Amino acid sequence: MEKRFIYADNAATTCVSQKVLDAMLPYFTTAYGNPSSIYKLGRDAQRDVEAARVKVAKAIGADPNEIFFTSCGSESDNWAIKGTAERLAKRGKKHIVTSVFEHHAVLHTTQYLEKQGFEVTYIPVDEKGLINPEDVRNAIREDTALVTIMYANNEIGTIQPIDEIAKICKEKKVIFHTDAVQAVGHVEINVHEQGIDMLSLSGHKIHAQKGIGALYVRKGIALPNLIHGGGQERNKRAGTENVPAIVGLGVAAEEAVKNISEKAAIITPRRNRLIDGILKLPYTRLNGDRDKRLPGNLNISIEGIEGESLLLMLDMNGICASSGSACTSGSLDPSHVLLSIGLKHEVAHGSLRLSIDENVSDEDVDYILEVIPKVVERLRSMSPVWEKMMKGEKYE
Amino acid sequence: MLYSEKVLDHFSNPRNVGEIENADGVGEIGNAKCGDIMKMYLKIDNGIITDAKFKTFGCGAAVATSSMATELIKGKPIEDALKLTNDAVVEALDGLPAVKIHCSVLAEQAVRSALSDYYTRQGIDPLPIVGEIKEPEE
């Protein structure tokens, strides 16, 4: 078996596509004007920033003046949540609804707000990693300022019932924000049709560079200014625009939403082959609903082994993947997402996330399915946990 | 995670993996909940550790520290093994990331746990010789 290099961690980041890079390059050396400058070089830069705004808006069904460029998805989340909280607290609304398995950009922001005197309701998710919209309805109170629920989960890829949640929020007249960092480019999004009030997206998940993101804010919502200074981003986020990155995001967003279903038709069967192949191993389970999930995502728990060891061994075989083990989370606890769907700690430690795109070929899938059983067998052969499992002993 | 070449070497080619049948001392430390378990087997002859083997469930550092710990005590008198510190394991591996230092403590404690078992089997109270075995905090 010849060693391959397979990037199967597209939920972590993606490469900058050639098309995006080509679009960006002139803005470093020749079209380097400051969009605020009066002369042509500046005006051209401004024109191109606005053209990118149109593209990003179009990709999610928004109007261009509803798009604000930020530095990343986390910034967009922070701005949407803290900004709304700050604004509505003045009207006595100091309650936020979110879910237990949000990205930390949301969770740590709501935890911060709790320290500032806000109350937060964390909606549970079921064992398939899905939120029940009725739980959102029941959580909304008179003083609820905001509901923020992720579009698709970053670890287990489950796609949430966003339309239903948006509808409930509209009925209850509560602002609805969604972190769609993992969803944009993988599922069709139309914020106006779906009734989404605010949406965060990130460039580097869709083949733009790292360090660029955007926040959609529905017209009529007066989000407080994030950075005070110049008049950039309609006074809301001062600072000279990152023109190359913004232009790149425009192209990336345009490309990402092209042929979503065609891409899914290529990726999904390969992803399913990976799921079925890995699940042939004993003591494995798929985490998250099998159908309501992002086309490229699979997350499987492999009992008796620990995730970081698995990742290191896969890396030695040229496969880039991710895990929810404590060792990869930088704490003693495994992923809060895996615990939220009811996994025991010891099972969550042995989780593997692969997030493939259309560049992961059928041959790559074959290769991954050849490598994983060997690596798992090797790690299990040296695992005292596996030994006990095989003897039928408890290992907690 | 920035692992040294030596850590990666001991992870990808761990020394002394396995079990010893009729071991003279067996120790286990850690729990699956916190993500690391080490099981250490020792063969002891005339006060000399003639063989040491391990099985580990855990991250790259957990495997590498177990491997290095067995290397450091194999062929040595018990007295030397009792003096094995986690610092010595870390040093022998050319360092560990700060968040992984607890793995080296586990390796040290796995050795002590196996030695404790050895003394118990000999009918000797291990506590005054080996001291308390520290289980990792959950």
Side-chain angles (χ1 to χ4, degrees), chain A residues 303-310 312-313 316 326-328 330 332-334 345-346 349-350 378-388 391 395-396, chain B residues 1 3 8 11-14 17-19 28 31-39 41 54-61 63 99-100 102-103 137-138:
Chain A
E303 287 189 59
I305 65 171
E306 191 281 326
E308 192 205 90
S309 301
L310 177 62
L312 286 170
M313 288 227 171
M316 285 165 188
C327 289
T328 53
L332 283 177
D333 281 326
H345 275 68
E346 48 274 30
H349 282 304
R378 177 148 181 229
L379 288 170
R380 279 178 169 172
S381 76
M382 59 191 283
S383 161
V385 172
W386 181 248
E387 182 189 320
K388 284 189 180 174
K391 286 182 189 162
Y395 58 86
E396 283 161 51
Chain B
M1 193 65 62
Y3 282 140
L8 289 174
F11 170 75
S12 51
N13 304 295
V17 178
E19 296 163 43
E28 190 178 298
N31 59 65
K33 199 181 172 211
C34 77
D36 292 299
I37 295 186
M38 289 180 192
K39 197 167 181 182
Y41 299 79
F54 78 92
K55 275 194 165 184
T56 288
F57 164 90
C59 62
V63 174
V99 293
K100 298 292 185 182
H102 73 276
C103 293
E137 286 171 32
E138 264 186 28

Side-chain angles (χ1 to χ4, degrees), chain A residues 31-47:
Chain A
Y32 53 83
N34 185 326
S36 299
S37 299
I38 193 73
Y39 40 80
K40 187 172 184 301
L41 195 70
R43 293 196 311 269
D44 285 353
Q46 193 188 25
R47 176 198 64 206

Side-chain angles (χ1 to χ4, degrees), chain B residues 9-74:
Chain B
D9 174 40
H10 274 262
F11 170 75
S12 51
N13 304 295
R15 280 52 145 186
N16 311 310
V17 178
E19 296 163 43
I20 299 174
E21 268 187 60
N22 310 315
D24 299 305
V26 181
E28 190 178 298
I29 198 103
N31 59 65
K33 199 181 172 211
C34 77
D36 292 299
I37 295 186
M38 289 180 192
K39 197 167 181 182
M40 194 77 69
Y41 299 79
L42 301 178
K43 192 85 198 154
I44 296 171
D45 212 3
N46 280 326
I48 305 287
I49 296 168
T50 53
D51 200 6
K53 287 207 187 301
F54 78 92
K55 275 194 165 184
T56 288
F57 164 90
C59 62
V63 174
T65 53
S66 319
S67 166
M68 183 53 88
T70 55
E71 283 285 272
L72 290 173
I73 60 168
K74 230 170 118 171

Side-chain angles (χ1 to χ4, degrees), chain A residues 47-268:
Chain A
R47 176 198 64 206
D48 297 341
V49 163
E50 293 316 311
R53 201 183 307 279
V54 171
K55 287 179 181 159
V56 172
K58 227 176 188 173
I60 57 167
D63 290 338
N65 60 6
E66 295 175 314
I67 300 296
F68 298 90
F69 293 115
T70 64
S71 69
C72 58
S74 295
E75 183 187 323
S76 301
D77 286 339
N78 270 257
W79 188 10
I81 298 168
K82 285 190 280 196
T84 305
E86 184 196 323
R87 184 168 70 91
L88 294 179
K90 290 175 194 152
R91 294 192 218 156
K93 296 194 170 188
K94 296 195 82 176
H95 176 241
I96 294 166
V97 176
T98 186
S99 81
V100 290
F101 79 158
E102 296 295 312
H103 190 275
H104 285 129
V106 169
L107 281 185
H108 288 168
T109 303
T110 56
Q111 283 161 10
Y112 161 80
L113 286 171
E114 280 181 283
K115 284 185 192 145
Q116 309 297 313
F118 285 82
E119 259 187 84
V120 181
T121 302
Y122 296 93
I123 306 267
V125 295
D126 66 15
E127 73 289 349
K128 292 191 157 187
L130 297 169
I131 287 164
N132 180 352
E134 287 310 305
D135 287 346
V136 176
R137 183 193 298 279
N138 297 332
I140 293 174
R141 316 189 308 210
E142 279 290 303
D143 62 340
T144 302
L146 174 77
V147 170
T148 173
I149 301 283
M150 69 200 323
Y151 208 117
N153 184 270
N154 50 312
E155 291 187 38
I156 56 177
T158 48
I159 300 166
Q160 302 308 314
I162 292 301
D163 295 13
E164 287 93 322
I165 295 170
K167 219 172 134 189
I168 289 166
C169 291
K170 200 167 187 184
E171 260 172 54
K172 300 265 188 181
K173 296 191 171 66
V174 175
I175 293 176
F176 174 50
H177 164 257
T178 184
D179 174 348
V181 163
Q182 295 290 340
V184 171
H186 302 292
V187 292
E188 308 272 359
I189 297 176
N190 188 305
V191 287
H192 287 171
E193 280 176 17
Q194 292 175 277
I196 296 167
D197 295 317
M198 293 191 283
L199 177 146
S200 303
L201 64 90
S202 165
H204 75 107
K205 311 287 191 190
I206 55 170
H207 299 289
Q209 68 161 78
K210 293 158 189 69
I212 185 73
L215 177 64
Y216 148 79
V217 183
R218 186 175 54 76
K219 205 184 287 175
I221 295 177
L223 201 60
N225 299 351
L226 180 67
I227 301 178
H228 304 276
Q232 292 89 352
E233 300 301 290
R234 295 194 302 293
N235 292 322
K236 291 206 173 296
R237 186 186 184 274
T240 301
E241 296 88 342
N242 186 347
V243 181
I246 288 170
V247 169
L249 178 62
V251 175
E254 192 174 46
E255 289 296 308
V257 298
K258 256 188 211 166
N259 317 319
I260 284 182
S261 47
E262 285 85 348
K263 274 188 288 184
I266 298 170
I267 299 167
T268 310

